[in-house]
Amino acid sequence: MQSALLLPLLAVGTILELPASAAGLADRPQLHVKKAMNSGMSACVSEGNLVLGLGSPAPPIKVENWLRGQPLASFQPGRVYIVDFWATSCAPCVAALFPLAELQEKYKDRGVEVVGLAIYERAATVDEARSKLDAWLTDKVPNLNYRMGFDCSGEMHKLWMERSYTATIPTLFVVDRDGHIAFIGSLKQLDDILPKILNGAWRTSDKAKAADAERIVKGERLLKLMRALEAGDWAKALSVVEEALAAMPDSLNYRMLHADLLLHKLRDLQSGLQVMRQFVRDAIDKHSEEWMGEALHQLFNPANDNSHFPRAERLEMGKELSEHILALNPPQRGDGLKHLTYPAVAQFCYESGNKDRAIELVEAALKSLDSSEQVPVERKQHDISLLVQALANYKGEKACHGAVRAAPQDRFPKASN
């Protein structure tokens, strides 16, 4: 379900800053939200620091510690550096470590160096964050073949992420042989572009310039959206989302946020229902469990007040989506990432009066989460807590799963008879 902490994020991976009010994201196990960016991005640009993009001189590397490999004091002429901004709490970031290690091995004889920068680790103290990261690397990637820097000062974020209008991780910056930026984007994009960078055909091409211009436009749009959401300016946020959808009609993240803003923030039922109906229809037509799961979450997120939503139509939409999800990923099938879509299906079952089925689906989601190696430990613990809470609410009694325990919430709605 998650591609890029996010995330979304509204592109791929983890969104570095998005208010918990946005689309109920704080309650969604499939998208990790991380507070790491501040509102100084535009100030950073307006105070004389040019936007960091294609052809810009690469900022310096300023980190507090190098946990793997020799320290990198500066970019050496004649070498190409792939700088990866990532975090252990971001599943797509973790998944990218191994392909990056393979890329390092494949291109090492052509002067390519991968540099990992973990600048979003969270802990009570800097020392604790550094120690946790060091232990994580020892456990998960003991034979890492490239440098790994650690920084909690925020300096690298300002120098690289803010100046480039980048709000999601993992993000890769490629520094060309002359110390200038040749690419900013994802590992998937880099697969095709890196050979062109190495032979000198990319940075001056019209395609590269157009791609970077588009990246900056998207970054500015996302920044405007984040500010509007932070301020609770739902009308402004809606305007930005609709502008984005005009350019990217198949963006799942913007489709989700569009429905949420209309239905749950602005409570514009007339427009919201129209958008939601189309969202459901498109999700089913795409035969995409991810799309259907997100549509169902919009309808059955227990954190939302749906009292204004016509109950019969909401349940009918939920029934259709749930049936398609379970057909694509049936309970009897052992594989499949059930923890991503089953919680929403379970909530539909509970609200429609089938508590036993809801409990069964939550238990299947917990089993799926236990066995998943794709979910970072911190994310897994959070999601297990949400599922155990749902289990307690559905059962009407205390529930436990391993060391996690929960009691029913007093205000949780009763199931229909």
Side-chain angles (χ1 to χ4, degrees):
M1 179 79 70
Q2 189 183 16
S3 72
L5 239 235
L6 89 267
L7 167 174
L9 247 207
L10 293 174
V12 296
T14 294
I15 300 177
L16 296 182
E17 178 184 24
L18 194 59
S21 59
L25 297 180
D27 300 309
R28 290 176 51 235
Q30 57 268 46
L31 181 57
H32 177 50
V33 178
K34 178 180 178 182
K35 283 276 190 180
M37 189 156 80
N38 59 51
S39 58
M41 180 180 285
S42 63
C44 177
V45 174
S46 65
E47 289 171 2
N49 293 320
L50 297 177
V51 174
L52 185 65
L54 189 72
S56 301
I61 295 285
K62 297 181 179 181
V63 300
E64 294 166 303
N65 300 99
W66 290 96
L67 299 184
R68 298 293 184 273
Q70 295 299 311
L72 179 64
S74 62
F75 297 115
Q76 299 302 306
R79 304 193 70 79
V80 172
Y81 295 88
I82 300 172
V83 184
D84 173 36
F85 285 80
W86 74 291
T88 56
S89 57
C90 164
C93 296
V94 172
L97 294 179
F98 302 100
L100 283 170
E102 293 173 0
L103 187 150
Q104 172 68 87
E105 185 65 25
K106 178 179 179 180
Y107 288 103
K108 65 180 181 180
D109 294 335
R110 298 187 63 182
V112 173
E113 290 192 36
V114 177
V115 180
L117 294 179
I119 68 170
Y120 301 112
E121 298 305 305
R122 294 176 292 178
T125 66
V126 172
D127 287 344
E128 182 183 344
R130 181 172 49 247
S131 296
K132 284 174 64 177
L133 174 60
D134 189 33
W136 189 96
L137 290 169
T138 299
D139 179 42
K140 302 296 184 183
V141 280
N143 300 313
L144 189 67
N145 61 350
Y146 59 85
R147 306 176 209 247
M148 183 61 67
F150 165 82
D151 184 68
C152 274
S153 70
E155 187 70 9
M156 292 300 293
H157 176 76
K158 291 179 181 178
L159 287 172
W160 292 75
M161 301 292 280
E162 284 190 4
R163 284 188 55 208
S164 63
Y165 289 114
T166 302
T168 64
I169 53 173
T171 290
L172 303 178
F173 294 76
V174 177
V175 180
D176 218 337
R177 300 186 193 279
D178 61 357
H180 289 72
I181 299 295
F183 169 80
I184 302 172
S186 69
L187 180 60
K188 183 178 180 181
Q189 295 169 304
L190 186 61
D191 286 342
D192 292 331
I193 294 172
L194 183 57
K196 299 174 185 177
I197 293 174
L198 294 177
N199 67 24
W202 175 253
R203 204 173 91 198
T204 58
S205 69
D206 290 341
K207 189 173 182 181
K209 294 172 184 176
D212 198 59
E214 182 182 0
R215 178 193 63 79
I216 291 172
V217 167
K218 288 181 179 179
E220 289 177 315
R221 182 187 294 138
L222 181 55
L223 176 59
K224 284 196 298 183
L225 173 61
M226 289 159 55
R227 283 180 174 159
L229 294 170
E230 186 71 46
D233 188 344
W234 311 129
K236 176 65 174 178
L238 179 65
S239 174
V240 176
V241 167
E242 290 181 341
E243 175 191 332
L245 285 173
M248 301 179 291
D250 276 342
S251 167
L252 174 56
N253 286 294
Y254 279 116
R255 292 287 293 273
M256 288 158 34
L257 194 49
H258 194 204
D260 180 78
L261 286 167
L262 287 169
L263 286 171
H264 304 120
K265 302 301 183 293
L266 294 168
R267 296 177 78 83
D268 179 349
L269 191 60
Q270 182 176 357
S271 299
L273 273 177
Q274 183 177 351
V275 164
M276 196 67 228
R277 288 169 187 145
Q278 190 61 52
F279 190 4
V280 171
R281 194 75 273 135
D282 290 347
I284 292 171
D285 289 345
K286 288 176 183 291
H287 302 288
S288 166
E289 185 181 356
E290 181 180 19
W291 274 67
M292 289 188 283
E294 298 295 4
L296 192 61
H297 180 82
Q298 287 300 318
L299 294 165
F300 291 93
N301 178 1
N304 290 332
D305 175 13
N306 289 306
S307 59
H308 64 303
F309 203 119
R311 176 176 171 77
E313 183 170 5
R314 190 166 70 95
L315 289 176
E316 184 57 34
M317 289 182 184
K319 181 176 183 292
E320 189 174 11
L321 288 166
S322 295
E323 288 174 349
H324 278 85
I325 288 171
L326 293 177
L328 285 172
N329 189 1
Q332 62 269 24
R333 197 176 77 193
D335 57 350
L337 301 178
K338 295 178 170 55
H339 59 277
L340 298 180
T341 54
Y342 274 29
V345 181
Q347 183 66 22
F348 158 73
C349 291
Y350 176 79
E351 290 194 35
S352 60
N354 194 343
K355 290 193 294 183
D356 291 341
R357 183 63 161 165
I359 291 167
E360 174 191 338
L361 293 172
V362 171
E363 289 173 341
L366 282 165
K367 184 177 179 181
S368 166
L369 196 54
D370 281 339
S371 62
S372 175
E373 297 182 357
Q374 301 179 23
V375 183
V377 173
E378 181 181 341
R379 186 73 238 168
K380 184 177 288 191
Q381 292 172 343
H382 173 267
D383 293 352
I384 286 175
S385 296
L386 292 178
L387 289 169
V388 173
Q389 183 62 70
L391 199 60
N393 290 336
Y394 298 160
K395 289 183 173 181
E397 61 186 32
K398 291 181 179 179
C400 65
H401 183 81
V404 181
R405 288 169 170 74
Q409 294 171 312
D410 292 338
R411 296 184 179 181
F412 193 75
K414 302 298 182 183
S416 300
N417 295 323

